[in-house]
Structure formats: C-alpha cells, structure tokens
Amino acid sequence: MEHTQRQPARVARAPSRFLDALQRWLPKLVVAPTFVLIGVGIYGYMLWTGVLSFTSSSFLPVYDFVGFDQYAKLMANDRWLTASINLGIFGGLFILSCLVIGVILAIFLDQRIRQEGAIRTIYLYPMALSMIVTGTVWKWILNPSLGLEKLMHDWGWTSFSFDWLVSSDMAIYTIVMAAVWQASGFVMALFLAGLRGVDSSIIRAARVDGASLPLIYWKIILPSLRPVFFSAVMVLAHIAIKSFDLVMAMTAGGPGYSTDLPAVFMYAHTFTRGQMGLGSASAMLMLGAILALIVPYLYSELREKRHD
Amino acid sequence: MTDVVRTGFRPSRVAIYGLLLLAALVYLIPLFIMLVTSFKTPMDIRTGNLMALPTDWTTIGWTKAWSEACTGVQCEGISGYFWNSFKMTVPAVLISTLLGAFNGYVLSKWKFKGSDLFFGMLLFGCFVPFQVVLLPMAATLGKLGLANTTSGLVLVHVIYGVAFTTLFFRNYYVAIPDALIKAARLDGAGFFTIFFRILLPMSTPIFMVSLIWQFTQIWNDFLFGVVFASGDSQPITVALNNLVNTSTGVKEYNVDMAAAMIAALPTLVVYIVAGKYFIRGLTAGSVKG
C-alpha cells in the first residue's frame, strides 16, 4: 500500500512536500467530518444518556450521582412493566407472523408465477409508507363503530363485534396487525432472494429420489436458508424494539397505558412528563436489549467474513 | 429447478394463484379504503361502509386537509408541513448520500490504520436505538440555536443517515477490483481523480439506492420530527399525527384519509417509479452477497 502510494509522486517529478503530505492525509481528511459526527452524535451522546440515567434529573439535567436509583424505580414502575410485557407480546407475534407469512408468500411466488413482478410490488408497497400513515389507516379500519364492524353488519353478519382498538386487553393486537401488514412483504422479499440462490441441482436430485416438493422445501430448502432466517429475525426484532410511530398513531399508548412500548414510555417520561433520569434509564435498557441481539450477530458475521 | 417445479405443482397451480391473489388483495385493501374514504362526504361515511364506493365523489376532504384542517391549535391544513418535509428531506438526502459516497470510497479503496475499526463503529451505529441520543441531541440543538428549525432536522438526519449511506457505498465499491485503482495511481491519478473519473461513472445504481432509501427514511421519520421540531417547522408525519389524534369536534375521516394520502404520495410515487432500487436498499444490509 505504502509503496504504490509513493510511486506516482516519483513519476510526477517531486511535487512539493505539502501536496505530498496532503495526498497522504486526504483519505483521512475526507472521513474526518463523519468520524466527528458519529463519534459525538452516536457514541458521545450514548455515553451522555448513560450518565443522565445515573442522576436524579427531572425537567432539567442535573449531575448528581444517585447510582442505580432510576433503574430500580424503573423496575418497580407499573407502566414500564406493561411496556416490557407489551414488547414481548408485540415482538413475538410480529416476528412470528411476518416470518410465516413471508416464507409462505416467497415459496409460492417462486413457482414461476406470471406477473410475479407486479405481485411483488403489491406485497412490498406498505414498506414505503410512513408508520404514521399505516397507523392512521388501520385506526380508521378498526374504528369500533364505523369501521370493520359496520362493514360486517352491512354484509349481513349482524352479531359481529370488534372493539379491540379501544379495549385495554386487546389493543396491543391491533398494533401487531398493522405492523405485520406493513413488514411481512419485506420478509417475503428477503426469502425470495434467498430462494433464488438455492442450487437447483440439489432439488432435482431430491426429486429423482422421489421426495415430494413440500418435503423438499421443509427438509432441504428452508434449512439451507438459515442465514436468511437470522437476518430477518434481527431486522424484525430491531423494528419491534424501536417501534414508536405506529403506537403513537393508532392508540398513543392507550387506552390508559395498555399499549405502551418501551419507546413510547421513554418519549413520554423524557419529553412530556419531565422525568429525564427515568427516561434515560429506559433508553439505556432499550440499548441493552439491542446489544444483546446485535453483538452475537455482528460477531458471527465478521468472523465468517474473515474466513472468506 | 423450473422443470421440476412445473410438473410437481401443476395440479395445485390454481390454489397457488388463488392464495397469491388473496394476499395481494389484503395488502391493497387498506390503500383502497384510504382512497375511497378520502373522496366521500362525512354523511356518506356515516351511512355507508368501508368498502362502499362514494355515492357522490367529492374532493372536499382533500382541499380541507391541504389548506383548512386543524393540526393542533392552528387550522391551516397540512400544506405548510408538506413543504417543510421537502425542505428537510432534499438537503438531508443529498448531503448524507454525498458523504456516504466519499466515506465508502475511502473505507474500501484507501484503507488506513484504524479504518476497519471506523467502519465497525459505523456499522454498529446503524443499529443503535435513537432513544439513547435524543436527549443530548435536543440539548445540543438548543445550544446551537437549531432547536425547532428545519436546518436542525437536516443536521440530525445527516448524522443518523450517514452510517447507512456509507455502508451502501462501501459494500458497492469493495466489489470493484483494486487493480483498477492501482493502475490509475501508477498513471499519476490522485484521490479525487480516481473517484470522479473511475468510480463515479459506474456508481449510478448505488446512488439511486442511497438516494431512494434516504428519501423514504427521512420523509417517513416521525421520532426526530416530534422531538426536535415544534409548530411551524414540523414535518408532515408529525402534522398528520396531530391532525388525526388531537383535533377536537366532529371527526372527519375523509379529511384524515386525504391527509394520510398526501403524506404517503411522495414515497409511494418514488416506490412505483424506482421500486427496484428501494428493494435493493431494503435488502442491502440483511442478505449477504
């Protein structure tokens, strides 16, 4: 590297030492702004939030050290408990539904379908929409008096009743529905790309051996798509932990705080309820959840790359 | 594979097509409902149902959403916020893509000691939940006098978008043979000459991916908008949420749906025109190869 870099300098008949140095520093100079922005904006601020989570900050930041008080308060907080449980319900159902729907659609779409491009476009367009738009539409569709319920009544199913959106036990499931509608097409795209990469000779060989197509998919093809499963789960879990917009648009955390998710909790306590310390602690726990997910994933990814 | 599939699945072709079309319907119905509701009169909404076509088509919902609807205390429609979003999105997309292109170029073709570590830092930055930076960022924007301004939002979107754009370009340029760069260097081409003469001409696809990905992300962002902007500088997503969730008096669902359509149209149009690049962006980080 060093060697080839000096070469042009000699060819160009000794340019000034300043230019030479500049040339050598140029790559570093070019990435320097990003380095600063990321260093401060991500790593510095992460640390800052970490510090705040150990203080008693309420409406304004104060820098008194109170140890793990805020974390203890968080653990004893009913609303945080609800938010965490909701994340479990929401995340679990969301990931599972997206995977099942995505895999089925991808397999079916991989059978030499006419107009495949058009169908794929339809499955994926919700990903281009803002979660706020999605939330607005689903809120209207699930409207307890004028939405789905009225539609079913008009179509003759008069006993049909659907008020999940305003029921504190069921509202979280309406958010799952909207989220699955939005993201399942994306999972389909991931798996379709994976299926296209499967070596067809393996399948032909299995066919010759008399295996049925569903069996081949179940026993050979899907297991070979393990990396795609991992990627999809990572991305979906990431979406779930960060989920904020959809809840704000559909229920704003209500009824009461029955549909709170950690991100909503963090926003409410930090920016509207003046409990910065508690909000920061909740943000740090969200980071912890992502870390627990990402670090093993990145580690295995990077290790594999090194072997290549 | 195709021959095998054909003979094997022929009896159930109808079922496959049936399921695929049914799924397509499920994905399309919310868009259909949004559209027809936006063209109904409030009366029509109360007497009809979700799937019914308007008895008389009217654009009153759209004009009201655009210029009269209340988004909190103000009742001037969402047009101002729509333009806010453009003023925020366009510079943020361009700056973050340009930075990403240069970063990707350096991190793939001009590696230096520590550049891999830097790349790792960026990669990790793609995953950090933004909740851990909101509070310090709000304080910083306040200090810089950028709180509640469009410039402030541009800055925020550049900072938290550049990790993604760098990733796109770095992975794209890594696949370009180093020999090409080395040969150019021997010919005396410098850092910028190589970039502009050799890499840039072959970068159109990845520029499209980055531009479209960033446009969609930034246009659709709600979190930064709701935390860092207030009143006149709010982007469309925040205005839409305010319109739908805080308006008092009689609920006008036709206005809500028209406003949602207006907020969705720019990204929908981009998706329809250049969906190929959007999908590549979506899958870029998650599928290897």
Side-chain angles (χ1 to χ4, degrees):
Chain A
M1 192 89 169
E2 276 296 299
H3 175 72
T4 48
Q5 216 163 324
R6 280 202 202 114
Q7 205 80 334
R10 217 177 297 149
V11 175
R13 296 277 302 140
S16 76
R17 275 179 58 187
F18 171 73
L19 277 178
D20 201 29
L22 186 72
Q23 191 75 3
R24 222 165 330 120
W25 277 92
L26 211 47
K28 287 177 197 171
L29 279 178
V30 166
V31 295
T34 309
F35 184 77
V36 173
L37 288 180
I38 296 290
V40 174
I42 293 181
Y43 294 90
Y45 287 179
M46 207 149 64
L47 220 67
W48 189 344
T49 303
V51 168
L52 280 174
S53 74
F54 291 111
T55 68
S56 65
S57 305
S58 50
F59 281 97
L60 287 170
V62 285
Y63 295 97
D64 56 338
F65 183 74
V66 296
F68 284 90
D69 272 16
Q70 300 287 11
Y71 292 90
K73 254 201 242 166
L74 202 56
M75 290 308 157
N77 187 314
D78 252 3
R79 199 171 159 179
W80 176 255
L81 191 70
T82 309
S84 308
I85 294 171
N86 278 343
L87 179 61
I89 298 174
F90 171 77
L93 284 176
F94 167 68
I95 294 172
L96 201 69
S97 315
C98 281
L99 281 179
V100 171
I101 294 171
V103 168
I104 291 176
L105 291 180
I107 290 178
F108 277 36
L109 209 50
D110 195 32
Q111 311 300 325
R112 284 169 51 87
I113 295 302
R114 255 179 241 181
Q115 295 296 321
E116 185 207 307
I119 297 177
R120 221 175 36 202
T121 306
I122 292 171
Y123 290 172
L124 254 170
Y125 87 89
M127 276 306 275
L129 299 180
S130 153
M131 289 271 193
I132 300 291
V133 172
T134 303
T136 303
V137 177
W138 279 87
K139 190 178 180 179
W140 165 230
I141 293 175
L142 300 174
N143 184 299
S145 53
L146 292 169
L148 196 61
E149 193 171 303
K150 181 136 192 297
L151 179 69
M152 290 304 157
H153 291 182
D154 281 10
W155 282 357
W157 185 359
T158 45
S159 62
F160 182 82
S161 131
F162 197 83
D163 60 352
W164 285 15
L165 192 63
V166 292
S167 138
S168 46
D169 291 331
M170 305 309 278
I172 188 74
Y173 300 103
T174 64
I175 294 172
V176 175
M177 283 184 202
V180 169
W181 175 79
Q182 179 144 30
S184 47
F186 164 61
V187 180
M188 179 280 301
L190 283 184
F191 277 98
L192 193 58
L195 285 173
R196 294 281 144 89
V198 172
D199 185 2
S200 60
S201 63
I202 301 172
I203 298 156
R204 209 166 293 138
R207 291 292 290 176
V208 171
D209 287 349
S212 71
L213 208 52
L215 194 71
I216 294 174
Y217 268 103
W218 187 246
K219 292 270 177 173
I220 301 172
I221 302 183
L222 287 184
S224 78
L225 293 181
R226 253 175 54 146
V228 184
F229 270 103
F230 275 124
S231 302
V233 170
M234 290 302 307
V235 175
L236 292 171
H238 193 239
I239 294 177
I241 294 175
K242 298 213 299 195
S243 275
F244 173 69
D245 319 20
L246 199 56
V247 179
M248 291 305 277
M250 284 181 75
T251 61
Y257 51 80
S258 59
T259 52
D260 250 12
L261 286 179
V264 181
F265 178 96
M266 185 273 165
Y267 174 76
H269 284 78
T270 312
F271 295 103
T272 61
R273 297 167 66 110
Q275 291 186 279
M276 273 187 193
L278 197 65
S280 300
S282 67
M284 291 312 282
L285 288 189
M286 287 177 65
L287 176 67
I290 299 252
L291 281 183
L293 215 69
I294 292 296
V295 169
Y297 176 73
L298 281 187
Y299 180 72
S300 70
E301 282 277 293
L302 292 177
R303 209 182 40 180
E304 248 170 71
K305 287 244 168 70
R306 212 164 292 153
H307 283 305
D308 287 347
Chain B
M1 169 162 187
T2 48
D3 303 341
V4 189
V5 169
R6 223 188 204 172
T7 48
F9 257 27
R10 184 157 262 174
S12 37
R13 293 293 286 173
V14 180
I16 292 177
Y17 273 100
L19 186 121
L20 287 175
L21 290 179
L22 185 75
L25 265 180
V26 172
Y27 285 106
L28 279 176
I29 281 172
L31 185 65
F32 172 79
I33 289 174
M34 180 158 59
L35 261 177
V36 294
T37 308
S38 75
F39 288 111
K40 286 178 183 176
T41 59
M43 183 63 179
D44 214 355
I45 289 172
R46 241 160 290 131
T47 53
N49 63 47
L50 286 178
M51 299 297 288
L53 290 174
T55 44
D56 48 346
W57 294 74
T58 167
T59 54
I60 192 162
W62 286 72
T63 50
K64 226 174 170 181
W66 185 250
S67 54
E68 289 165 42
C70 297
T71 51
V73 275
Q74 281 186 322
C75 294
E76 293 167 354
I78 58 167
S79 54
Y81 306 102
F82 185 80
W83 299 124
N84 278 351
S85 271
F86 265 110
K87 278 183 241 160
M88 163 187 85
T89 309
V90 172
V93 168
L94 292 180
I95 296 171
S96 60
T97 296
L98 219 62
L99 274 177
F102 279 113
N103 292 338
Y105 171 49
V106 171
L107 293 181
S108 59
K109 296 297 171 225
W110 294 82
K111 287 192 181 177
F112 50 87
K113 210 176 161 203
S115 67
D116 280 339
L117 181 72
F118 178 48
F119 180 64
M121 281 172 65
L122 278 171
L123 199 62
F124 180 71
C126 292
F127 292 104
V128 167
F130 293 134
Q131 278 74 17
V132 294
V133 299
L134 290 179
L135 204 52
M137 185 46 105
T140 312
L141 288 178
K143 284 248 167 63
L144 293 174
L146 291 173
N148 303 327
T149 63
T150 302
S151 324
L153 280 179
V154 171
L155 179 70
V156 171
H157 282 297
V158 167
I159 295 178
Y160 300 110
V162 78
F164 289 93
T165 57
T166 303
L167 193 68
F168 289 147
F169 282 97
R170 186 258 180 199
N171 289 350
Y172 187 78
Y173 289 148
V174 140
I176 291 170
D178 281 339
L180 209 63
I181 312 297
K182 272 190 187 135
R185 272 199 219 165
L186 284 176
D187 287 344
F191 181 83
F192 285 111
T193 318
I194 294 175
F195 181 72
F196 286 108
R197 290 286 180 77
I198 300 176
L199 289 182
L200 202 58
M202 53 172 100
S203 303
T204 316
I206 199 65
F207 264 97
M208 291 296 289
V209 168
S210 175
L211 289 173
I212 285 166
W213 171 263
Q214 283 297 90
F215 181 83
T216 316
Q217 290 303 302
I218 298 174
W219 182 275
N220 287 342
D221 164 72
F222 176 72
L223 182 63
F224 290 151
V226 78
V227 172
F228 301 131
S230 68
D232 284 344
S233 64
Q234 282 170 343
I236 182 93
T237 45
V238 179
L240 173 63
N241 189 50
N242 288 344
L243 184 147
V244 174
N245 287 324
T246 64
S247 57
T248 47
V250 184
K251 209 82 205 76
E252 295 175 299
Y253 294 103
N254 57 336
V255 179
D256 287 2
M257 290 305 121
M261 275 308 299
I262 293 170
L265 270 177
T267 49
L268 266 187
V269 168
V270 166
Y271 175 68
I272 290 164
V273 173
K276 182 174 80 170
Y277 297 108
F278 177 71
I279 295 166
R280 272 184 63 179
L282 269 180
T283 49
S286 26
V287 179
K288 279 189 283 177

